[in-house]
Amino acid sequence: RVALQGLGGCGKTQIALEYIRQRSSEGHCNVFWVQGSGILKFTVGFKAIAQHVRIPQAGTEKDEVELLRRTRTWLEGRDSGDWILVIDNADNEADFIGNNSPISKFVPQGREGTVIFTTRSRQVAIRQGCKIIKVGEMEPEEALRLFSKRFDSWQSLGGEERRTVSTILDSMGHVPLAVVGSAAFMAENETSPSVYWPIFQENDKRAKELLSEQFSEIQREADMTESILGTYFITFDRITEQMPLMVKLLGLLASIDRQNIPKELLTHSGLEGMDDSLKFCRAIGKLLRFSLVTESKLEGTTFYELHRLVQLSIQTYLSIEQNNQGRTVGLRAVSRLFPKYEYKRRNICTAYMSHALVLTKESTDTICEDL
């Protein structure tokens, strides 16, 4: 079992497609592709496998469950031959968390075949006993090649325009879905990179408008949200349903600097449950395993960081009231925790300064406009 695990929109499905294309060309190998985003879609996919291998179809709901079991048994048997089963978008942890969970109880085990999961959740990958392949951002050159394939006027762009494209892709962190989305907007609206870039960097509101634009990506699941920021909303829905206190934590993360977030800023924020080590561990663990935040240590201090697209997506996902509440919590926490400068704590001091500047930026911008 192998899991391609990473942030939404990072290209997990495309890697799986390329792998099975190469593997299929090497010799006879059955390839089965099912959706793991819910038991109903999974059932449709498994019934198609049953039909392909001539397992009699079900007549009733009870027979349907038995059909799924028989399909699993066939995949586990020696007569099934060489096969690859891709379970795409296996993101809902409740469907995969235990051996008797709605979907995982039908996933074949044993020595036959290869099962590939694409998932945003590290927990799903671990619980399914997978070798985990972490899928991160593209390299700058890869992102540029992808953009050139999706932007039909690429050949007519001069050197300066191409350098502007590189700048745009740098600002988006080379996330494949963002690369495709920005290319689609420019192509459909006949907008040059030199026109797109000033709009994007004007302010966060403008950036969020551009990144919320709908576009078509034919290789994504039919009912998946097709906007750059919208792809993360599914994850936010799931984690806030499972842990309601996460709404306020997301609000805080949306309001502060996305980089160099000291652990103590979260644990001493005054938010419910954050001062409880176990609840905090579960909350931050949820964000870490969905790749929404990353963790690093510097001179014994733990820091967290959000990708820029994730932070912009959180700000778009939350209501104005929730964003304002998060900013209020952040201002109170930073003003209370802001340290007296000591050389040995210089990294902490620098971090708090950046959070203070971000939290007060809106106020200072308003004052400047009034002046």
Side-chain angles (χ1 to χ4, degrees):
R1 293 187 178 192
V2 177
L4 297 167
Q5 188 264 325
L7 196 63
C10 70
K12 302 180 292 293
T13 298
Q14 306 312 311
I15 293 171
L17 282 167
E18 179 59 22
Y19 172 76
I20 61 174
R21 185 192 70 78
Q22 292 185 20
R23 180 77 184 276
S24 298
S25 67
E26 294 172 359
H28 178 71
C29 177
N30 282 314
V31 176
F32 306 113
W33 191 288
V34 298
Q35 288 298 332
S37 53
I39 185 60
L40 294 179
K41 291 183 179 180
F42 180 85
T43 299
V44 170
F46 244 47
K47 286 169 74 174
I49 296 173
Q51 185 174 15
H52 179 75
V53 300
R54 295 184 173 85
I55 296 174
Q57 293 293 299
T60 66
E61 187 175 328
K62 186 177 180 181
D63 291 339
E64 194 170 82
V65 173
E66 184 57 33
L67 174 67
L68 299 183
R69 289 200 182 98
R70 289 203 303 270
T71 304
R72 169 186 159 167
T73 301
W74 181 85
L75 288 166
E76 293 173 340
R78 291 185 177 181
D79 293 339
S80 61
D82 193 15
W83 54 263
I84 301 171
L85 171 64
V86 179
I87 303 178
D88 197 22
N89 297 311
D91 303 323
N92 187 9
E93 294 173 339
D95 285 330
F96 297 93
I97 205 165
N99 290 334
N100 203 39
S101 295
I103 292 178
S104 61
K105 63 185 177 183
F106 299 117
V107 178
Q109 300 185 35
R111 297 181 179 181
E112 307 301 324
T114 301
V115 182
I116 301 173
F117 295 84
T118 72
T119 180
R120 303 181 187 199
S121 169
R122 186 172 179 82
Q123 185 181 51
V124 168
I126 292 171
R127 292 293 181 97
Q128 289 301 305
C130 297
K131 175 185 177 183
I132 300 174
I133 299 174
K134 181 73 175 172
V135 182
E137 302 164 359
M138 281 183 146
E139 293 297 323
E141 297 78 14
E142 292 177 315
L144 207 57
R145 282 199 300 273
L146 177 59
F147 183 93
S148 68
K149 291 177 181 178
R150 298 304 183 99
F151 186 65
D152 53 10
S153 301
W154 175 256
Q155 294 301 327
S156 65
L157 293 182
E160 189 61 37
E161 289 282 6
R162 292 191 180 194
R163 283 188 287 274
T164 302
V165 171
S166 293
T167 303
I168 293 168
L169 302 186
D170 286 346
S171 71
M172 295 180 175
H174 308 112
V175 173
L177 188 67
V179 174
V180 172
S182 60
F185 180 90
M186 288 183 236
E188 291 173 10
N189 294 283
E190 297 186 8
T191 302
S192 67
S194 59
V195 171
Y196 183 96
W197 176 234
I199 300 172
F200 183 84
Q201 65 175 340
E202 185 178 326
N203 53 50
D204 280 353
K205 182 180 178 182
R206 281 294 202 189
K208 284 184 273 192
E209 287 176 3
L210 285 174
L211 296 171
S212 297
E213 286 283 330
Q214 299 286 311
F215 65 95
S216 177
E217 174 50 60
I218 60 172
Q219 291 179 317
R220 286 174 68 77
E221 190 177 352
D223 60 355
M224 291 287 280
T225 304
E226 292 183 323
S227 77
I228 297 167
L229 296 187
T231 192
Y232 304 114
F233 291 1
I234 302 164
T235 304
F236 300 154
D237 282 341
R238 289 209 172 113
I239 64 177
T240 53
E241 284 170 9
Q242 294 165 5
M243 300 179 70
L245 63 84
M246 293 296 288
V247 174
K248 292 183 178 179
L249 179 57
L250 289 175
L252 173 58
L253 293 171
S255 69
I256 56 181
D257 190 356
R258 67 179 186 86
Q259 298 175 307
N260 298 320
I261 304 169
K263 180 179 178 180
E264 68 175 29
L265 177 53
L266 305 181
T267 57
H268 293 76
S269 61
L271 289 177
E272 178 189 353
M274 291 302 98
D275 58 348
D276 182 302
S277 58
L278 181 57
K279 288 182 179 178
F280 175 77
C281 187
R282 285 174 175 161
I284 202 68
K286 181 79 74 173
L287 298 178
L288 285 166
R289 65 177 179 252
F290 276 103
S291 303
L292 296 175
V293 301
T294 56
E295 181 183 278
S296 62
K297 288 189 182 295
L298 182 61
E299 297 179 356
T301 302
T302 300
F303 291 92
Y304 300 104
E305 181 175 332
L306 290 82
H307 192 287
R308 189 188 180 206
L309 294 184
V310 172
Q311 188 178 55
L312 290 173
S313 185
I314 294 172
Q315 292 167 354
T316 307
Y317 175 79
L318 298 176
S319 67
I320 294 174
E321 181 182 1
Q322 288 168 334
N323 275 298
N324 287 338
Q325 288 173 348
R327 184 165 172 267
T328 300
V329 170
L331 283 166
R332 287 174 178 167
V334 169
S335 61
R336 186 174 65 253
L337 297 169
F338 202 97
K340 181 179 179 181
Y341 183 78
E342 296 177 26
Y343 181 75
K344 64 181 180 181
R345 299 196 74 207
R346 60 192 181 281
N347 294 318
I348 286 284
C349 293
T350 302
Y352 274 103
M353 179 63 75
S354 67
H355 295 302
L357 289 171
V358 169
L359 284 161
T360 57
K361 184 178 184 297
E362 187 175 315
S363 301
T364 53
D365 284 351
T366 303
I367 292 169
C368 290
E369 288 172 7
D370 291 342
L371 291 173

